[in-house]
Amino acid sequence: MIDNLIEVKGVTKSFGSYLAVDNLSMVVRRGEIVVLLGQTGAGKSTVLNLIMGTTSPNSGSVRVAGFDPHDSFKALKGRLSVSFQTDRLLPWRTAVENAELGLLILGVSKPDARRRAKEWLARVRLDGADDKYVHELSGGMRQRVSLARALAIDPEIVFLDESFSQLDHVTSGTLRRDFYQIARELGKTCVLITHRIDDALEMADRAIVLSQPAKIALEVHIDDAARADPARIAELHAQIAAAMGGEESGS
Amino acid sequence: MSVADNMAVSVNSNPPPRAAAPADQLVKPLAAVVRPQRNPENRRDLFATAVVVIVMLIAMEITSRYVPDYIMPSPVTVWAAARELFFADPYHVGVTLIRLTAAVAVAMSLGVLIGLAMGTVRWIRPYLKAIILIDTGIPALSWMLIAVFWFKNPETRIFFILLVILLPFYALNVYEGVRALPKDLVDMIESFRPSRWQVLRYLILPHIVPYIFLTTKSVIGYAIRMVIFAELVASAVGIGARMNLAQSTFRIDQVLAWTFFLVILNLVLQAAVNAVEKVTLRWRAEAVVR
Ligand SMILES: Nc1ncnc2c1ncn2[C@@H]1O[C@H](COP(=O)(O)OP(=O)(O)OP(=O)(O)O)[C@@H](O)[C@H]1O
Ligand SMILES: [Mg+2]
């Protein structure tokens, strides 16, 4: 079994003459929750796309579970999923039909997919809205559907691209805690992409701060002992904020 | 009477306006906020239509008293002619309707296929685009004359004429639909690593359904005019052929009666398409723009 589920080695990516990722190396281990921080435009989403294999690096290598995610695109079918920054639900499908989409693509039979999607909707606490269309759901409910869709395929690695940042503070807070609990319970490997330092301090095993263009500015380990110590948390907060270069956005 | 003379009778071959891309109708973030309402405009529109019809009927009646019958018959005469035609000749109405439905259905299916190919297969795109561009530049009249040269069978002629005229509308609008696919949704579905067929089935096909409806609604009036026109040129049966006959026998009351019927037919078909659309696209939020 490969222990480093994600391995990024010396990756450079530019768009035309614009350098977005600069010789980035990082590793994500099985079962780890890693938070990727950085200011807007730092290249966080680009790094996600590289790991997802939807773009390929100019140089360097990316390995996910031993595969090149771009060249062996189909080999990773069912092993990764993403909950995007915006909910990205299909408007012509109901909540449960959206939640089952990944399962159907993986070839799970219709009744099975329906059953599992319903279970996941209950698990992310979307109650009694299974058969509503997207326009009938609130923003928070949509995010829950999107989360259920990502988790329902039972992937090895889950990505969250700033998923909850568009919601109000209370909603995003409960949603984030729900997600955190589920991820921990299932022992999933998670990469969370955000510009909120609080997210990192609350749920991550490790925080990686990217500077612009994306390369590692700071990497810190966080554990429950640190979380229990307000002074330590304040110190980490200050360190991360400094590495991100100026004030934190979105919090 | 020659074919060319008949053509000159009704040169209403201007195509319907190209449908605007309904992409913003699909992705309407505001839609969830705006509460669906019964549209009070419907009733006002109906009232206005009734007023216009009544005024026209009165004008007809008054004119008919001052001019000879072969210029403007009284609405009563036209009504009598309409009843006579309708009960004596339902066959012709049926023939026209079948021709219309068959041609629209085939144009829709082929147009969707061509539009999808244009939208998804990169190397085919410029070729199909060129063909469609050239096709839209060919006047309906040319197609009618060409059809008469090429085909002996009147059904083939009419079907061909309607098909080449309607096809580009479907193809172009479906192509626009595919192009308007939100990149966010494409990336989302790609993240599950689907097959091409799955992308088509779960994303592209449902996404273009509103475009197909939009096209159908915008071509239906045009299609009715064209089928009549084609029947006048190429067939001895159907409403167009009967109108030709009515004209050559100086029965303006019948011409007007058929016209009246065609206007109603257009309204009924539009309403039918609207009803089907409403059920099919029930997932769409109804927004009221003030
Ligand atoms: N497809 C692309 N073509 C051109 N430039 C791109 C493309 N994708 C990203 N970029 C550029 O790369 C840089 C990094 O973008 P990226 O989306 O990765 O930032 P980010 O860290 O996710 O920002 P945010 O926090 O705002 O989401 C930006 O300057 C962006 O303009
Ligand atoms: Mg981003």
Side-chain angles (χ1 to χ4, degrees):
Chain A
M1 211 174 203
I2 301 160
D3 216 35
N4 290 342
L5 261 191
I6 302 173
E7 261 182 334
V8 176
K9 271 198 205 137
V11 162
T12 299
K13 173 76 187 173
S14 41
F15 298 106
S17 62
Y18 180 80
L19 183 65
V21 179
D22 180 16
N23 195 21
L24 174 77
S25 298
M26 59 179 266
V27 169
V28 178
R29 280 177 279 278
R30 194 176 288 278
E32 231 185 348
I33 297 185
V34 171
V35 169
L36 216 53
L37 288 146
Q39 286 198 320
T40 179
K44 304 181 293 297
S45 298
T46 306
V47 171
L48 166 65
N49 291 337
L50 288 164
I51 298 173
M52 281 301 294
T54 45
T55 48
S56 60
N58 296 111
S59 63
S61 80
V62 182
R63 287 284 177 279
V64 177
F67 293 101
D68 182 316
H70 184 261
D71 295 346
S72 318
F73 195 75
K74 287 281 165 64
L76 291 165
K77 187 164 182 168
R79 302 181 70 171
L80 326 160
S81 65
V82 189
S83 185
F84 295 93
Q85 184 165 358
T86 52
D87 55 70
R88 304 197 185 181
L89 300 178
L90 301 176
W92 50 84
R93 295 178 86 92
T94 60
V96 69
E97 287 169 349
N98 267 291
E100 72 189 5
L101 181 68
L103 293 166
L104 293 178
I105 290 176
L106 290 185
V108 174
S109 75
K110 262 200 163 140
D112 250 18
R114 182 55 58 96
R115 184 178 50 74
R116 280 161 68 178
K118 285 197 162 170
E119 281 169 17
W120 272 104
L121 287 178
R123 194 143 181 193
V124 298
R125 298 199 288 165
L126 187 94
D127 303 310
D130 289 12
D131 297 320
K132 289 199 163 151
Y133 282 105
V134 175
H135 76 265
E136 299 166 314
L137 301 171
S138 74
M141 290 160 108
R142 291 180 199 188
Q143 288 295 356
R144 286 174 190 278
V145 177
S146 163
L147 197 56
R149 179 179 62 193
L151 292 170
I153 67 165
D154 194 22
E156 280 167 69
I157 309 170
V158 194
F159 297 92
L160 270 100
D161 192 354
E162 300 177 321
S163 287
F164 314 135
S165 62
Q166 291 192 324
L167 304 175
D168 67 84
H169 227 70
V170 179
T171 314
S172 77
T174 52
L175 206 54
R176 201 179 320 139
R177 268 185 288 282
D178 282 352
F179 170 75
Y180 178 59
Q181 216 182 345
I182 291 168
R184 274 276 182 255
E185 242 171 64
L186 300 177
K188 296 271 178 237
T189 308
C190 300
V191 178
L192 273 84
I193 297 171
T194 180
H195 13 78
R196 293 194 201 207
I197 299 177
D198 291 342
D199 275 16
L201 296 173
E202 208 178 305
M203 42 215 277
D205 297 317
R206 202 147 51 91
I208 295 174
V209 182
L210 297 182
S211 57
Q212 184 178 7
K215 66 172 169 217
I216 294 183
L218 176 75
E219 189 173 346
V220 292
H221 288 267
I222 308 164
D223 52 21
D224 288 341
R227 266 186 271 273
D229 177 359
R232 176 72 183 134
I233 287 292
E235 183 191 334
L236 286 173
H237 197 292
Q239 269 183 17
I240 294 172
M244 280 175 73
E247 73 276 37
E248 146 194 21
S249 50
S251 171
Chain B
M1 196 176 203
S2 78
V3 164
D5 283 340
N6 280 335
M7 292 302 178
V9 175
S10 52
V11 192
N12 54 357
S13 55
N14 50 313
R18 272 287 308 289
D24 30 31
Q25 265 163 274
L26 281 176
V27 195
K28 248 185 201 159
L30 270 179
V33 183
V34 185
R35 196 184 294 157
Q37 277 179 2
R38 277 246 156 262
N39 198 344
E41 250 172 58
N42 278 345
R43 203 177 286 170
R44 220 181 310 147
D45 285 1
L46 216 61
F47 178 75
T49 311
V51 169
V52 170
V53 169
I54 289 168
V55 169
M56 277 169 65
L57 288 178
I58 292 172
M60 257 178 94
E61 177 60 39
I62 293 173
T63 320
S64 72
R65 306 202 170 182
Y66 295 97
V67 299
D69 249 13
Y70 60 84
I71 303 284
M72 177 59 75
S74 139
V76 182
T77 319
V78 174
W79 177 247
R83 278 184 41 186
E84 180 199 328
L85 287 177
F86 202 75
F87 291 110
D89 276 353
Y91 167 72
H92 295 281
V93 176
V95 165
T96 301
L97 274 180
I98 289 171
R99 284 170 175 161
L100 186 69
T101 318
V104 169
V106 174
M108 185 189 293
S109 315
L110 282 181
V112 166
L113 286 180
I114 293 174
L116 283 175
M118 281 167 78
T120 55
V121 187
R122 193 161 303 162
W123 67 267
I124 294 188
R125 186 176 308 155
Y127 298 97
L128 288 177
K129 248 177 147 168
I131 292 172
I132 297 224
L133 214 72
I134 291 168
D135 184 11
T136 47
I138 298 175
L141 177 65
S142 306
W143 282 125
M144 296 200 182
L145 298 176
I146 291 167
V148 171
F149 281 108
W150 283 0
F151 305 106
K152 277 261 152 357
N153 184 321
E155 295 310 322
T156 318
R157 285 178 182 172
I158 293 171
F159 181 79
F160 171 81
I161 291 167
L162 286 177
L163 187 67
V164 291
I165 291 173
L166 297 179
L167 193 80
F169 293 108
Y170 281 103
L172 284 176
N173 280 341
V174 167
Y175 170 56
E176 287 297 332
V178 176
R179 288 213 317 172
L181 263 174
K183 185 173 185 304
D184 275 7
L185 293 185
V186 177
D187 287 353
M188 181 280 292
I189 203 159
E190 284 287 325
S191 77
F192 290 110
R193 297 171 140 73
S195 63
R196 275 187 88 117
W197 162 243
Q198 286 172 325
V199 175
L200 192 69
R201 173 169 172 200
Y202 293 121
L203 184 64
I204 300 177
L205 287 180
H207 173 78
I208 59 170
V209 170
Y211 291 82
I212 298 172
F213 274 109
L214 193 81
T215 312
T216 305
K217 286 195 287 185
S218 59
V219 300
I220 226 166
Y222 185 54
I224 292 174
R225 294 203 293 274
M226 284 303 119
V227 74
I228 300 305
F229 206 173
E231 285 175 340
L232 190 132
V233 177
S235 175
V237 289
I239 297 175
R242 300 309 282 178
M243 288 181 84
N244 194 14
L245 183 70
Q247 194 227 6
S248 54
T249 51
F250 303 105
R251 290 291 302 271
I252 190 169
D253 56 336
Q254 287 190 354
V255 171
L256 289 176
W258 280 123
T259 306
F260 168 75
F261 175 75
L262 289 172
V263 170
I264 302 282
L265 181 67
N266 182 32
L267 291 177
V268 169
L269 289 182
Q270 293 277 2
V273 177
N274 273 325
V276 177
E277 182 187 37
K278 209 165 175 166
V279 175
T280 313
L281 302 185
R282 65 188 175 285
W283 52 267
R284 243 177 2 182
E286 269 181 63
V288 178
V289 181
R290 267 177 276 266

